[in-house]
Structure formats: structure tokens, C-alpha cells
Amino acid sequence: PEAWKRDQWGGWNCPRWSPDGSKLAVVNWDLVLGGFGPHGYEGVLYIANSDGTALIELADTNSCAAWSPDGERLVFSYQGTLYVIDVATRKRIALIQLSPETFQLTWSPDWSPDGTTIVYETDDAIYELDIGSLRVTRLTDLCQGCDYDNPRYSPDGQQIVFAWILGVEGSRNGIYVLHRDGTHVTWLHSGVLPTWSPDGRHIAFIDS
């Protein structure tokens, strides 16, 4: 569609289907600024119909976005705060600031299948946010100075897969899976950007 060609930045990324497959959320990164902005990569969150028509700008973002299970909202981060936005009204609600003292970047929050929690990563760990109480639970404590990436709930919501990259010397980078309560952390394979198959039996990833 013509609207996609009139892009001033040229960095379309993070495509995410809505649960019913009728919509697509996508982020347009500022490739000129790159990762040197005050909060990491700067971009704009859009939604469109599944065929690419009706491209609508929703909000500025520093992360990819994830759909709520009912397909009515998206979660993303901007300037160190997690937000939820209603795709119909475009009303944005701040959930929590990711760090009490400094802004931190989260690339890829994910919404649990039951709609009650959001998992996200910051500079030092993977956390789970209870949406009702806004209580935050730290799920990982593998090492200081590590870089966690792309946590994703399994379809049944019982496990979380993630990548661990740029760890300290002697650490084992790659794809890990853990129970939702943060226990039973298991290394699976080298790689990045893991995601579950719809039936939860397989994990796709990019082998690094």
C-alpha cells in the first residue's frame, strides 16, 4: 500500500498479528538515530489491517508491542515506562516506570494468555507485572551485566522462553525456558529471538 512507501525513516519491524489475525501491529524505527537515542531506539507504533491497508499511527515507542488476548489493547514501552493503549480509542495508560531511578529499555513485552500479567525484560533481568495489583516479580537472577531478550509466554501460560545474550565471561548464552514462577531455568540451544509454536510443542529461533 502507498502509505507504507511514504515512510520517512524506512525501518519497519516487529510485526505482530492480533489474536484473530485481522490486524497487524508494526513499529517503524528511526534508523538514522539508531540505538543512540536517550532511551535506545526511537520509533512509532502503527496498526493496519491484515492486508496492509488502513495504516494508523498509535504512539511513539522504544519497544516492540504485544497484543492483549482479546485483541483490544497493545502493551509497549516508551521513555522507561510500560504503557497499554486501546487500539480503538487510542487512549494510552501508563502502568509502571521500569526503573525507579533511571530509564531502561525493554524491547519486547508480552501479554500472558490469561490476560492477567505482562512479562518484560530490562537491562538486568526478566520481570512479570501483575496488571491488577501492579506488583512486579523478578523472574531471573542469572548474572549481573547480562542482556536478556524477547521473553514469551507459552500458549498455556505455564512457561516463558527467552534469550540470554552478552553475558559475562563463562556464562552460557542462548535460548532458555523457565516456569512462570521463575523456577526450573533450562538452557535449550544457542540462538536469539525465540517464539513458541501455537501448540506450545516447539520453539522457533534464530541460531546465533
Side-chain angles (χ1 to χ4, degrees), residues 61 64 66 73 78 85 108-109 118 158 162 172 196 201 205:
T61 184
C64 301
R73 295 163 292 169
Y78 183 59
I85 189 168
S108 48
I118 290 169
Q158 298 305 303
F162 65 95
R172 197 175 193 185
W196 296 89
R201 298 177 61 187
F205 62 93

Side-chain angles (χ1 to χ4, degrees), residues 15-56:
R16 301 286 189 270
W17 291 113
S18 62
D20 65 2
S22 66
K23 300 288 184 181
L24 184 69
V26 63
V27 175
N28 183 217
W29 294 124
D30 183 347
L31 297 183
V32 176
L33 185 61
F36 298 101
H39 310 288
Y41 279 83
E42 298 284 343
V44 178
L45 173 62
Y46 292 81
I47 59 168
N49 293 333
S50 59
D51 61 0
T53 59
L55 185 67
I56 298 173

Side-chain angles (χ1 to χ4, degrees), residues 9 18 27 33 71 85 117 120 137 152 154 168 175 187 205 208:
W9 292 342
S18 62
V27 175
L33 185 61
I85 189 168
T117 61
Y120 62 92
T137 302
R152 287 290 178 270
S154 59
V168 297
I175 307 299
W187 182 86
F205 62 93
S208 58

Side-chain angles (χ1 to χ4, degrees), residues 15-17 108 110 149-155 159-163 175-177 188 191-206:
R16 301 286 189 270
W17 291 113
S108 48
D110 191 36
D149 183 57
N150 210 61
R152 287 290 178 270
Y153 287 103
S154 59
Q159 298 183 88
I160 296 170
V161 69
F162 65 95
I175 307 299
Y176 286 77
V177 66
L188 299 179
V192 294
L193 296 175
T195 188
W196 296 89
S197 63
D199 62 7
R201 298 177 61 187
H202 304 279
I203 295 171
F205 62 93
I206 298 175

Side-chain angles (χ1 to χ4, degrees), residues 22-165:
S22 66
K23 300 288 184 181
L24 184 69
V26 63
V27 175
N28 183 217
W29 294 124
D30 183 347
L31 297 183
V32 176
L33 185 61
F36 298 101
H39 310 288
Y41 279 83
E42 298 284 343
V44 178
L45 173 62
Y46 292 81
I47 59 168
N49 293 333
S50 59
D51 61 0
T53 59
L55 185 67
I56 298 173
E57 179 179 331
L58 290 184
D60 293 331
T61 184
N62 296 125
S63 78
C64 301
W67 292 89
S68 60
D70 59 13
E72 296 180 357
R73 295 163 292 169
L74 287 160
V75 60
F76 64 98
S77 72
Y78 183 59
Q79 295 189 348
T81 298
L82 274 180
Y83 288 95
V84 167
I85 189 168
D86 185 289
V87 297
T89 65
R90 306 188 203 179
K91 181 180 180 180
R92 186 177 69 173
I93 299 174
L95 294 179
I96 59 165
Q97 186 174 328
L98 300 179
S99 170
E101 298 179 354
T102 60
F103 289 122
Q104 296 193 41
L105 175 67
T106 176
W107 277 102
S108 48
D110 191 36
W111 217 307
S112 64
D114 61 11
T116 62
T117 61
I118 290 169
V119 67
Y120 62 92
E121 86 278 11
T122 65
D123 295 340
D124 62 345
I126 292 175
Y127 296 88
E128 186 175 61
L129 169 70
D130 182 277
I131 299 174
S133 66
L134 297 183
R135 180 174 59 88
V136 174
T137 302
R138 180 171 178 151
L139 299 181
T140 59
D141 193 19
L142 296 179
C143 77
Q144 297 296 319
C146 297
D147 187 0
Y148 299 89
D149 183 57
N150 210 61
R152 287 290 178 270
Y153 287 103
S154 59
D156 64 5
Q158 298 305 303
Q159 298 183 88
I160 296 170
V161 69
F162 65 95
W164 183 23
I165 57 178

